[in-house]
Amino acid sequence: MYTQALNKKSPKAAAKDELGPEGIKFQKKIDADLKIEPYDFMPAAYRKTLQRQISQHAHSEIVGALPEGNWVTRAPTLKRKAALLAKIQDESGHALYLYSAAETLGMSREEHTDQLLYGTAKYSSIFNYPALTWGDMGTIGWLVDGAAIMNQIPLCRCSYGPYARAMVRVCKEESFHQRQGYDIVNILCNGSKAQFEMAQESLNRFWWPALMMFGPSDGEDLSGDKSNIWKIKRFSNDVLRQRFVNATVPQAHFLGLEIPDAVLKFNEETGNWDFGEMNWSEFFDVIKGNGKCNKERMSVRVQAYEDGAWVREATNVWAKKQADLETPQAAE
Amino acid sequence: MKQIITPIWEVFLRSKNGLDHKHAGSLHASDAEQALQNARDVYTRRNEGISIWVVESKHITASQPDDEGSFFEPGEKIYRHPTFYHVPEGVKNL
C-alpha cells in the first residue's frame, strides 16, 4: 500500500565507491535513465537506501492489511466483503512483490521479517491509527490508497529495475482500491444523516494522518539529495502532498464533506489548495511507537508469525522427506 | 554404445534495459555455460536481447491442463477491477 519518506533528505556525502570508475559508470547509467539490475555494480549507500525503502514499503503492505482485516466479518454486504477480501489479498501480494525485490539486494526474507517483528524496522505511520467505523474502510481506500498511488506512480520509474517493475504491478492492481473506497464514502454521503456523519467523522480523523503519509516537509527542491540523484525519489514530499491535496479536496466537496482544516483555501495565483500546519510531533511520536495501535499491530503480526511456525517447519520437513524418497541412497 | 542425453534448457531474454526477462524458447546444452552461449547464438541474432537467463527445464514445475478448474475458476472477479465501482460524473482524479 505505501512507502513513507521518513527522512527529510538522504545523505549527501559521496562515499568512496561512488567516485571510482565503477561508481562513475553507475551514475552515468542512471543519468541516461537506464535501470540498475541486481548483479550490476552499485554503491553501498544506494543498496542500503533501497533496502531500507523497499523493505519499509513491504512492511507497510503487510501491516496495512490489518486495519481492514478487522472489518471483513463486519462488512455490510456481500459485495463489500468480497471487495475487502480482494483488497487484502492485493496488499499481501504487494508485500510479496516488494520483499522479493528487496531480497535481490542481498538480505533474506527471514531477516526482513525478523527486522519487522523483533527489530526496529519501520512501516507507514498511518496504520497505527485505528479503523473504528465502517466509514473508515471508505476513507482508508479513498485517502490512504489515494496518497499511496500519488507516491507510487513516480516509483514505477525508479532506477532500480526490480523495484520499478514491482511498482508497475502494484500500481496496476491498486487502481481499484481507491475507487472502492470513494464508492463506500459516496454511498454513506448519500444515505441517512447518521451515515453522512459517519463519513464526515471518519474524514476528520484520517485527513491529517493521510497528509503526513508523505513524510516531513522537505521543500520543493531536491537538488543535492542522493535519492534524487540516484533517481529513487523523483519528487519531494511536499510536491506530492500538494498534488494529493489538489486532487482530493474537490472530491470531498463533491460529496458535501468538509475538510477539517480551518485555513484551507484555494489559491488563485498558484492554482493550489493552501492548507494548514500538520502536527509533526504527533507524527514522530507515532513513528517512535506511541501511536494508538503500534503495539496491537505488532503483537497481532508476531502472534500470526509464531502460530504459523509449525506450518513452515512441517512443509520443509515434508519436502525433505519427499526428496529423500526420490533418492533412496540419500536417505540411508 | 550408451546413449548420452543432453539436457534441455529454457531460455529467457530481457529484450530491453529495464524490462523483465520473458521466455523465448528452449535448447539443448551439456552445461549452463554452453546453454548461455547457445542461447546467444539461437535467440539473439537480431538484437532480441541484452540479457539472458537459462534454466534447466527439469527445474521448472508447471501447472497441468487438468488443474485449470481448481487453479483458475471462477476466472473473472469483476469486483477486483476499478470499473466495477461507480464514480459520479464530475469527480476527477480517481
Side-chain angles (χ1 to χ4, degrees), chain A residues 222-268:
Chain A
L222 280 181
S223 55
D225 184 291
K226 264 274 122 87
S227 260
N228 183 245
I229 291 169
W230 287 331
K231 295 193 181 166
I232 295 171
K233 183 173 181 169
R234 301 261 180 176
F235 302 100
S236 77
N237 302 346
D238 286 331
V239 165
L240 292 171
R241 182 168 19 244
Q242 184 68 60
R243 277 190 201 169
F244 174 73
V245 171
N246 290 351
T248 310
V249 169
Q251 292 165 358
H253 289 167
F254 181 89
L255 299 177
L257 291 169
E258 198 183 324
I259 302 282
D261 180 350
V263 303
L264 184 85
K265 194 168 174 262
F266 188 72
N267 185 329
E268 295 284 350

Side-chain angles (χ1 to χ4, degrees), chain A residues 20 35 44 96 128 154 159-160 181 244 260 270 275 278 313:
Chain A
K35 299 285 183 227
L96 174 76
N128 291 317
S159 62
Y160 189 55
F244 174 73
T270 59
F275 52 94
M278 285 154 279
E313 192 188 341

Side-chain angles (χ1 to χ4, degrees), chain B residues 7-79:
Chain B
I8 187 164
W9 300 72
E10 300 302 323
V11 178
F12 299 83
L13 296 179
R14 166 176 284 141
S15 59
K16 223 173 88 183
N17 179 286
L19 299 183
D20 42 16
H21 289 77
K22 290 252 161 66
H23 187 240
S26 46
L27 46 75
H28 286 267
S30 33
D31 61 22
E33 188 65 24
Q34 194 194 15
L36 261 186
Q37 288 172 1
N38 290 354
R40 178 199 60 195
D41 292 347
V42 179
Y43 289 107
T44 65
R45 289 196 306 279
R46 290 177 183 78
N47 290 326
E48 286 93 337
I50 57 156
S51 162
I52 305 172
W53 284 352
V54 288
V55 59
E56 216 181 320
S57 307
K58 71 174 182 196
H59 294 307
I60 290 180
T61 306
S63 65
Q64 300 302 309
D66 288 349
D67 297 336
E68 212 178 301
S70 61
F71 267 52
F72 307 115
E73 291 291 330
E76 198 58 323
K77 293 181 177 167
I78 48 170
Y79 53 86

Side-chain angles (χ1 to χ4, degrees), chain A residues 35 37 83 89 165 251, chain B residues 14 17-18 80 85 92-93:
Chain A
K35 299 285 183 227
E37 296 295 341
Q89 284 185 328
R165 290 189 290 272
Q251 292 165 358
Chain B
R14 166 176 284 141
N17 179 286
R80 290 183 194 272
Y85 302 91
K92 287 184 204 144
N93 298 310

Side-chain angles (χ1 to χ4, degrees), chain A residues 193-207:
Chain A
K193 188 165 171 282
Q195 285 173 317
F196 180 85
E197 279 165 5
M198 180 187 273
Q200 180 65 59
E201 189 273 336
S202 176
L203 176 63
N204 293 348
R205 273 183 292 116
F206 273 95
W207 175 252

Side-chain angles (χ1 to χ4, degrees), chain A residues 111-149:
Chain A
E111 285 170 283
H112 281 116
T113 305
D114 201 64
Q115 285 189 347
L116 172 66
L117 299 184
Y118 308 107
T120 53
K122 305 281 190 231
Y123 55 88
S124 183
S125 56
I126 193 81
F127 305 121
N128 291 317
Y129 292 86
L132 301 173
T133 68
W134 174 248
D136 292 354
M137 289 301 97
T139 310
I140 287 173
W142 171 33
L143 297 185
V144 175
D145 288 82
I149 291 168

Side-chain angles (χ1 to χ4, degrees), chain A residues 33-35 37 79-80 82-83 86 89-90 142 165 175-176 178-180 182-183 186 247 251 254, chain B residues 14 17-21 53 77 79-94:
Chain A
D33 265 329
L34 293 174
K35 299 285 183 227
E37 296 295 341
K79 170 183 158 177
R80 298 299 184 196
Q89 284 185 328
D90 278 359
W142 171 33
R165 290 189 290 272
S175 55
F176 106 77
Q178 191 189 17
R179 278 205 187 185
Q180 66 86 34
Y182 194 73
D183 190 46
N186 183 21
Q251 292 165 358
F254 181 89
Chain B
R14 166 176 284 141
N17 179 286
L19 299 183
D20 42 16
H21 289 77
W53 284 352
K77 293 181 177 167
Y79 53 86
R80 290 183 194 272
H81 295 272
T83 43
F84 181 70
Y85 302 91
H86 172 67
V87 178
E89 208 169 320
V91 174
K92 287 184 204 144
N93 298 310
L94 265 181

